[in-house]
Each structure stands twice: as C-alpha cells, then as structure tokens.
Amino acid sequence: MQCNKKWTISAWDYEVAIAPGVGGSLRGLFWQGSPVLRTARTDHILDAACFPIVPFCNRIADSRFEVAGVSYRLSSNFPDAYHPHALHGYGWVRPWQVIDHDMSSIRMVHGYSDGEWPWHYRAEQTLELGAKGVMMRLEVTNLGPGRMPAGLGFHPYFPGDGSTVFRGLHRYEWQTAPDGLPLTLVDAGDAVDWWKGAAVTTRMVDTIQEGRQGVLTVLRPADDLLIEMTPCPALSCTGVYVAQDAEFFCIEPLTHPTDAINRTPGRMTWLAEGETLAASLLIRAQNSLFGID
C-alpha cells in the first residue's frame, strides 16, 4: 500500500523523512545533515520525531465528555498500553495516504468514519521545504451533520541534554496532576521564560502554557544549533513535556488546552458540516553562533 511507503523530501539544506503509515509521522528532520528533532530508531509512533494531533489536543479526562446532552465514552487510544484519558486524537494512531508530492513537499490525508469519535472527518497534512524553513500545515474538516468540536496540534520531540535551553515567553502555566490533567492556572503577570534561562532538563513538567509572546526557540550548544518554531495564531497554547529520564522533551503548539471539551468547550473550534479548521507551524534551524534574525 502507498501509505506504508517511507518518503523523503529535501531542499534548501533541509531533509525530512516521513512515514505516512505510522500516524503521518516525521521520522527525522535534518538541517545541513544535523538532526533538528530526535531521529526515530524504530517504526513505532512513540519513537517518532513528530506527529500530527487531530481532531483534539492532549487529554480528555477519563475519556468521557458530553455534547448537546449526549454522553460519550471513548476507549483508550494509547498505543500498546491502557491510558485512562483519550490522548492526542486519532491521526497519530491511524495511517495516512500520500495524495501529492514532489522533491520538496508532500501532502497526506487521513479519514475517520469508523470509530468511537462521534463525528466523521477528513484531515490533511502538508509539509513544504523552503528558504525560510519547514512549513507544516494541518487541517480538519467535519464531514457529517452536527457541530464537531475540533482541535489541532503538532507534537515534535527534541533530544535532551544538560545544555539544551528552551525559551518560550508565556504568561500562564498550568499546574497539573501526575496524570497530566490541569489543576491550577498560574499567572506570572507577564510573558516570561519559566526556565529563567536554565537548561530545559532542570524542570520536569507535563503542562500547558498560554499567553505566548513571540516565537519558540530551542538552543542546542552541543550541536551548535538554534531552532526557531513559529506557530500560527490559531496555535495559541504550548504543550511542554520534559521526561524524567531527560532523554527527550516535547514542545507542542496546540489550538486548545487539555480537556477543553469538558472544562472550557468554547476554547475548541466547533465545525458545522463542511467547515474546516486549519493551523500551521514553521520550523527553522541555523547555527547558534550566528543566531536567528
């Protein structure tokens, strides 16, 4: 099948390896031969360099929610294990199909009409390489009657070490329970660097930050690499996960916070039949010696 094939696109000093059949995931992203994201060592989705998040972001508490007076219960969608909270939607655990590609771009689709999510949808993901970096676009369209709550996001993984610094200015950060569900929204009073310039591995977190100002940057002195991520305005939230073993960390631009369908349904986008939600993320790399202008 076409979706089981692995693809590589390359241009403007960038190279991206894609596995459509593995959740439409990136298996690697390189700039001048240097890995910008972690590089997948296996074909498992949890070993990905990045995967798309659709049609909802992060966790749905206890996999339960109610819409228009109807209660729904979703099964665990976590690969190879039980997870009490439905997580990251369904795009990352379903195969995608390539519908268009050339040397510097690829377009994939994923359709959902046969599962527990109560709405049918079509998702499309596009990657384009250019002089400004790697442009990733994601959209979802409600194919059925009734308004569908929708969210989108990108889930990049970065290799972690004691010198890597993440800088993203945010005014708010959610304190979370051990299972990642939100407890309290902390207000810093202004958009600040919650790491205060320290290495990203000095804070073990699984949180959502809001009130972002400017771009998101990752500085890797050991690789002489500075990575800049520019989310579109629709991606108003930033998920941050730093693993306990510090082997990797994730910076996830998202359209809504955790469990929004239950806690703040107005933060989701409610799509009528035929309506589409779209989002984009630009990833750019440069030698850290020169910085990013």
Side-chain angles (χ1 to χ4, degrees), residues 151-262:
L152 297 173
F154 299 93
H155 199 300
Y157 290 80
F158 296 88
D161 63 43
S163 65
T164 298
V165 173
F166 161 60
R167 187 172 188 267
L169 303 182
H170 297 81
R171 176 169 176 171
Y172 305 98
E173 183 179 85
W174 282 96
Q175 290 183 341
T176 57
D179 61 0
L181 292 180
L183 296 173
T184 306
L185 185 63
V186 179
D187 184 354
D190 199 359
V192 301
D193 171 12
W194 291 76
W195 276 257
K196 300 179 180 178
V200 66
T201 54
T202 59
R203 294 184 76 219
M204 305 294 110
V205 297
D206 185 356
T207 187
I208 300 291
Q209 296 185 330
E210 301 193 55
R212 184 177 60 243
Q213 184 180 95
V215 300
L216 307 169
T217 61
V218 173
L219 175 64
R220 297 217 310 261
D223 301 317
D224 185 24
L225 198 63
L226 183 62
I227 302 156
E228 180 184 73
M229 294 190 291
T230 306
C232 73
L235 297 167
S236 59
C237 298
T238 307
V240 185
Y241 176 74
V242 184
Q244 292 294 325
D245 58 15
E247 288 187 358
F248 67 86
F249 64 97
C250 304
I251 308 297
E252 310 156 32
L254 310 167
T255 60
H256 65 76
T258 302
D259 198 29
I261 197 168
N262 289 309

Side-chain angles (χ1 to χ4, degrees), residues 7-21:
W7 303 74
T8 299
I9 56 176
S10 179
W12 296 97
D13 289 335
Y14 291 94
E15 182 175 285
V16 181
I18 308 109

Side-chain angles (χ1 to χ4, degrees), residues 66-86:
E66 182 178 304
V67 173
V70 179
S71 296
Y72 299 95
R73 173 69 186 269
L74 306 175
S75 299
S76 172
N77 68 332
F78 195 80
D80 304 334
Y82 172 77
H83 194 289
H85 313 305

Side-chain angles (χ1 to χ4, degrees), residues 5-20 24-33 98 100-108 125-130 133-137:
K5 179 181 176 181
K6 293 183 175 61
W7 303 74
T8 299
I9 56 176
S10 179
W12 296 97
D13 289 335
Y14 291 94
E15 182 175 285
V16 181
I18 308 109
S25 64
L26 276 59
R27 313 310 289 165
L29 192 164
F30 306 89
W31 177 75
Q32 294 187 350
V98 175
D100 192 21
H101 71 95
D102 57 29
M103 293 297 294
S104 62
S105 67
I106 190 168
R107 187 157 61 104
M108 301 172 281
Q125 180 183 189
T126 303
L127 282 80
E128 292 181 292
L129 311 185
V134 179
M135 175 60 75
M136 305 169 64
R137 295 185 176 92

